[in-house]
Amino acid sequence: MAPVTKKTNGKRSARGVSQSDKKSTKKPRISIDSSDEELELAKNEDAELSSSDEDDLDDLDKGKPEGEKKEEDKEADDLDISDDDEDEDEEKEGKSKSEGGEGGNHTEQRKLLKERKMQRRSGTQVQQIKSVWERLRVKTPPLPKQIREKLSNEIWELSKDCISDLVLKHDASRIVQTLVKYSSKERREQIVDSLKGKFYVLATSAYGKYLLVKLLHYGSRTSRQAIINELHGSLRKLMRHREGAYVVEDLFVLYATHEQKQQMIKEFWGSEYAVFRETHKDLTIQKVCESSVEKRNIIARNLIGTITASVDKGSTGFQILHAAMREYVKIANEKEISEMIELLHEQFAELVHTPEGSDVACTLMAKANAKERKLILKTLKNHGEKLIKNEHGNIVFITILNCVDDTVLVFKSFSPTVKDNLQEFIIDKFGRRPWLYILLGLDGKYFSPIVKNELLRYIELSEATSKKDPLQRRHELLSKFAPMFLSTISKNYAEILTENLGCQFVAEVLINDELYAQLNEKDQQKYQTVLDNILTTFKGDITEETHPIHRAFSTRLLKALIQGGKWNNKERKVEPLKNVQGLGVPFAYKLYDEIIDSSNLLEWINNADSSFTIVALYETLKDQKEGKQFLKDLKEVQSKITSDENNKGSHLLVKLLK
DNA sequence: CTAAATATATGCTA
DNA sequence: TAGCATATATTTAGAA
């Protein structure tokens, strides 16, 4: 493969980035529901073949909200019907004629054009079918079923003998698309059958590709398999094709089963593996490459060939490409990894949001040397928010935390993003994970075995370059980020504590010996402020429904702070803390002093949501001098505790008091 | 951590 | 293809 030239690289990456920025998580995909976008596309291509880059972008324009989409469909339809007989071909011709100076006799031109159309292969049929299609395709008002069926039968009768003449023309292809949409499964099979042998041509045709994707979408398992079988052997060629690449990506992402995906990827190893795919079924790439260096070299060359071509083409965001890259990085040697980083580094951010791409990014990150890591950090820092919030990007980010020794650089690169978004992060299912990692390490509570093993695998890979002790690295990060945690909580505690995930995070921050050990004097004060903030939220009348005591998670947080440790379910006891100051007895004392007192103590006991808090207070304070007042008040109201079956906390309290 | 609850994928039947 | 059942993965809740 020819090496990437600076010029193409720059251009492509620019396009790639704008693409992903506009359509955030949406992947390039060919639309199923709307055929009108396709017509738009057709117009453009007719008008100016060289503006293909633009067209590709149009083509990406998917995933609009349902309502919006309908609107546009309607509009386009109306417009379409009004000027349909003289479609865009005609207008074009008219223009070029008048430019040629032949004057503007429109009727004359129309006639000419009609004749020319008739002369095309199956021209008469096309015109005929088209008029039936006009009646079939209307969306408003919706056609009754019988009529729709009748019309679609009519079209089928007319078109079944010349179907292969239809599918490559931009207007006629749409007719077949509509036909597919409204046909029975038997007829869909028939259509697929009659197009056998043509799928490659379809995939590479500017108009045919839409039909092919519709066949995949509406087709049966066997139809899909038939199409895949036929495209097999040409996938590498298709990946380099302007239209074909989109079809292959769609096929891979949306329609192929797991097994079919494996098959498809194997083809990128080399044609040998595409042809004899049955015999190579359960082969993994590592096994083959271990068996022979020659084979490894051939496979590596084939893979990087496809990868380089696609990256140059600007398809860095394609999932199928990510899957190919994953195979490659599994077997790549040190030099090849470096070249890969060189090839990708500007577009690194386009990898990280798919499972396969994230795997590639993590592997590269782990295997990269210090200088290369710096380079990657530089590209990723501008995409921090998405990187951290995305399920897969998140893994990449944690891998960065796990393997980059230069924690100062890591902090510098991401601290602005973190500062702006931390409040969102900590209540986000994925966005909070990196911070929980910094606080607790790879705790099984927050990292499922699968995710954990994946992360451990990258750590293992990184051991060749990363020299720092993992715990030291994590503590360095903790000491840098902890003040940010505290100020974010202190500033937004009211909102954070209304969220389950927020409460959980706050608990992890506050009940954490490692964190407290990293705090300087000023930040320790900040820590105490946060404790006061939390007390503040529990002020007020607990008979109000909005009081935080009625939300299970904030109550649990409060209880944990009173107990001054986390509940260990295995040992069935609270784990005491060594470093942290201000939890347990002092916190309980403050709570009783400021929030609960003799005036509302009974209320707290007699409410099922808050009674366990009092139990916790009792257990913490019963043998302490700070608890004297509390115990005295408790004795006074003891007799007035109501006996409510549902209030297990008050029952327990009565039992304890005996 | 564990058990239950829930979501997701896969296969079978009509 | 729809609907259902079954297996499997992932998420959630949770003490007294």
Side-chain angles (χ1 to χ4, degrees):
Chain A
M1 258 316 97
V4 192
T5 71
K6 207 72 224 176
K7 202 173 147 200
T8 26
N9 205 355
K11 186 185 155 208
R12 297 303 182 185
S13 91
R15 187 192 136 196
V17 165
S18 77
Q19 190 175 304
S20 71
D21 279 351
K22 255 194 272 177
K23 298 289 151 204
S24 59
T25 57
K26 296 293 167 198
K27 290 285 129 212
R29 195 128 311 144
I30 298 169
S31 163
I32 298 301
D33 305 322
S34 143
S35 39
D36 299 294
E37 287 168 82
E38 295 148 27
L39 192 66
E40 279 308 307
L41 176 79
K43 275 186 190 167
N44 285 341
E45 293 221 358
D46 260 2
E48 204 184 331
L49 276 167
S50 61
S51 71
S52 54
D53 268 348
E54 291 278 330
D55 295 340
D56 282 351
L57 281 175
D58 280 349
D59 179 1
L60 298 175
D61 189 26
K62 296 292 128 59
K64 293 170 207 141
E66 212 42 56
E68 200 184 322
K69 198 160 194 165
K70 281 218 183 92
E71 281 281 321
E72 283 187 22
D73 272 4
K74 232 190 348 205
E75 255 181 56
D77 254 356
D78 293 342
L79 191 137
D80 214 40
I81 285 162
S82 63
D83 73 352
D84 198 78
D85 248 357
E86 26 179 58
D87 70 8
E88 48 290 341
D89 271 348
E90 192 160 355
E91 281 177 308
K92 225 28 320 107
E93 307 251 344
K95 240 183 233 161
S96 61
K97 278 242 174 87
S98 52
E99 272 164 20
E102 267 179 61
N105 188 341
H106 273 268
T107 24
E108 189 66 14
Q109 284 164 16
R110 240 170 248 189
K111 223 158 129 195
L112 270 172
L113 184 84
K114 209 156 201 172
E115 275 165 31
R116 208 172 308 151
K117 275 192 173 171
M118 292 302 192
Q119 275 158 18
R120 294 205 288 236
R121 211 136 58 99
S122 311
T124 359
Q125 284 95 321
V126 171
Q127 292 308 314
Q128 216 178 336
I129 296 165
K130 216 172 159 185
S131 68
V132 185
W133 174 62
E134 281 310 332
R135 287 189 279 149
L136 175 62
R137 67 192 286 253
V138 290
K139 285 173 186 159
T140 46
L143 283 178
K145 255 202 171 145
Q146 301 96 323
I147 299 187
R148 182 155 272 169
E149 219 163 278
K150 186 174 146 277
L151 289 173
S152 113
N153 286 337
E154 235 173 276
I155 294 189
W156 174 239
E157 286 308 318
L158 285 166
S159 58
K160 66 177 173 190
D161 297 321
C162 57
I163 194 157
S164 47
D165 295 329
L166 300 178
V167 293
L168 299 179
K169 312 250 169 60
H170 90 263
D171 45 0
S173 160
R174 295 186 61 206
I175 297 175
V176 186
Q177 284 171 47
T178 317
L179 186 61
V180 171
K181 193 169 166 185
Y182 294 126
S183 287
S184 64
K185 65 172 181 196
E186 289 84 15
R187 190 143 72 207
R188 283 180 193 151
E189 303 250 317
Q190 280 177 298
I191 296 173
V192 171
D193 262 354
S194 56
L195 287 171
K196 279 216 170 105
K198 292 216 157 48
F199 296 137
Y200 178 83
V201 185
L202 276 175
T204 52
S205 145
Y207 314 118
K209 67 173 176 181
Y210 297 110
L211 175 60
L212 189 56
V213 169
K214 280 211 166 56
L215 287 174
L216 285 169
H217 183 83
Y218 294 107
S220 65
R221 198 176 281 272
T222 41
S223 302
R224 285 182 197 164
Q225 187 66 55
I227 296 174
I228 292 181
N229 286 346
E230 204 172 303
L231 295 183
H232 244 298
S234 317
L235 290 181
R236 282 196 293 160
K237 214 158 70 189
L238 280 172
M239 277 310 285
R240 292 164 199 245
H241 192 279
R242 191 159 57 86
E243 321 290 348
Y246 287 98
V247 177
V248 177
E249 167 73 358
D250 257 38
L251 174 59
F252 183 80
V253 177
L254 295 174
Y255 305 114
T257 64
H258 180 70
E259 218 169 304
Q260 290 166 332
K261 286 184 191 184
Q262 301 294 109
Q263 263 180 29
M264 288 172 80
I265 291 304
K266 270 195 195 121
E267 181 164 338
F268 294 120
W269 300 4
S271 20
E272 171 187 2
Y273 301 93
V275 180
F276 305 108
R277 59 194 134 92
E278 278 312 308
T279 50
H280 291 129
K281 216 168 168 207
D282 299 311
L283 228 51
T284 70
I285 196 161
Q286 282 104 334
K287 272 191 209 151
V288 183
C289 296
E290 275 164 27
S291 73
S292 124
V293 186
E294 270 160 54
K295 276 188 187 161
R296 194 213 79 94
N297 288 340
I298 294 170
I299 291 176
R301 212 177 51 224
N302 284 333
L303 279 172
I304 195 66
T306 304
I307 293 167
T308 313
S310 296
V311 172
D312 282 356
K313 209 163 74 68
S315 318
T316 318
F318 280 27
Q319 272 185 56
I320 187 166
L321 184 65
H322 296 173
M325 289 178 185
R326 178 161 67 177
E327 299 286 87
Y328 185 66
V329 296
K330 272 189 211 162
I331 58 159
N333 58 37
E334 209 174 312
K335 184 164 159 275
E336 287 165 340
I337 292 280
S338 293
E339 284 168 0
M340 185 86 174
I341 293 171
E342 164 93 6
L343 172 70
L344 280 174
H345 81 268
E346 264 178 64
Q347 309 174 49
F348 220 80
E350 295 205 30
L351 280 182
V352 299
H353 303 119
T354 68
E356 294 91 352
S358 146
D359 187 9
V360 172
C362 291
T363 310
L364 290 177
M365 193 69 207
K367 289 190 171 180
N369 61 38
K371 201 175 135 205
E372 288 162 345
R373 286 175 180 171
K374 203 170 166 180
L375 210 63
I376 297 173
L377 282 184
K378 206 174 145 198
T379 10
L380 286 183
K381 77 169 174 197
N382 301 319
H383 301 85
E385 194 185 338
K386 244 164 66 190
L387 177 72
I388 291 166
K389 270 198 173 181
N390 177 273
E391 174 177 6
H392 311 289
N394 192 317
I395 305 282
V396 179
F397 186 65
I398 297 173
T399 301
I400 290 172
L401 301 179
N402 264 330
C403 70
V404 179
D405 281 340
D406 188 348
T407 52
V408 177
L409 178 70
V410 173
F411 183 72
K412 227 172 78 188
S413 304
F414 292 100
S415 59
T417 313
V418 178
K419 208 169 173 216
D420 292 343
N421 299 293
L422 189 59
Q423 195 202 335
E424 279 173 59
F425 288 157
I426 60 177
I427 56 170
D428 183 85
K429 192 170 157 210
F430 299 111
R432 70 196 192 128
R433 270 198 321 206
W435 323 112
L436 290 167
Y437 161 73
I438 290 179
L439 287 165
L440 304 163
L442 294 177
D443 190 303
K445 191 173 172 189
Y446 300 111
F447 295 90
S448 72
I450 296 167
V451 174
K452 194 170 165 179
N453 287 334
E454 199 183 342
L455 288 166
L456 289 172
R457 191 160 57 82
Y458 301 133
I459 292 176
E460 218 173 285
L461 289 178
S462 73
E463 273 165 5
T465 13
S466 299
K467 295 290 172 255
K468 211 171 253 180
D469 172 51
L471 189 64
Q472 188 200 338
R473 185 167 35 233
R474 185 161 72 78
H475 281 169
E476 283 176 14
L477 291 167
L478 185 57
S479 76
K480 291 183 176 63
F481 281 109
M484 234 183 236
F485 296 165
L486 291 176
S487 39
T488 299
I489 297 173
S490 182
K491 208 165 129 214
N492 307 300
Y493 61 93
E495 294 90 54
I496 293 171
L497 292 180
T498 61
E499 300 270 346
N500 287 353
L501 298 183
C503 290
Q504 213 172 12
F505 183 81
V506 172
E508 298 296 1
V509 168
L510 295 178
I511 306 170
N512 190 310
D513 265 334
E514 289 181 49
L515 174 131
Y516 200 85
Q518 301 292 335
L519 297 180
N520 60 31
E521 212 168 299
K522 204 176 102 241
D523 291 325
Q524 289 184 357
Q525 267 171 21
K526 216 189 242 166
Y527 178 96
Q528 299 305 328
T529 315
V530 171
L531 291 184
D532 290 340
N533 293 150
I534 290 174
L535 284 177
T536 311
T537 58
F538 283 91
K539 278 202 173 123
D541 184 358
I542 63 161
T543 55
E544 300 265 344
E545 267 183 40
T546 51
H547 192 277
I549 201 75
H550 303 301
R551 286 191 301 269
F553 280 83
S554 45
T555 309
R556 208 179 286 179
L557 167 68
L558 184 68
K559 208 158 31 185
L561 295 176
I562 296 169
Q563 291 169 332
K566 266 179 276 189
W567 176 261
N568 183 323
N569 208 12
K570 211 173 184 183
E571 314 242 341
R572 309 214 134 251
K573 62 168 192 192
V574 173
E575 284 175 347
L577 293 168
K578 293 183 211 77
N579 302 330
V580 180
Q581 303 294 310
L583 296 187
V585 179
F587 185 83
Y589 177 75
K590 230 175 181 173
L591 175 68
Y592 190 70
D593 197 37
E594 292 179 15
I595 313 294
I596 314 171
D597 53 35
S598 52
S599 68
N600 59 4
L601 179 59
L602 194 59
E603 252 173 40
W604 278 70
I605 296 170
N606 283 334
N607 186 312
D609 288 332
S610 51
S611 53
F612 277 111
T613 307
I614 306 298
V615 174
L617 270 183
Y618 175 76
E619 286 180 331
T620 303
L621 289 175
K622 61 181 171 190
D623 304 319
Q624 307 290 331
K625 61 177 191 318
E626 288 93 334
K628 271 191 185 147
Q629 184 64 41
F630 168 67
L631 290 172
K632 196 177 136 232
D633 295 344
L634 202 53
K635 285 261 151 48
E636 263 170 43
V637 298
Q638 191 174 359
S639 58
K640 294 188 197 131
I641 296 176
T642 54
S643 175
D644 178 352
E645 264 305 303
N646 299 320
N647 191 342
K648 293 194 176 145
S650 66
H651 275 119
L652 180 67
L653 187 66
V654 171
K655 219 161 74 190
L656 289 170
L657 283 172
K658 274 179 192 159

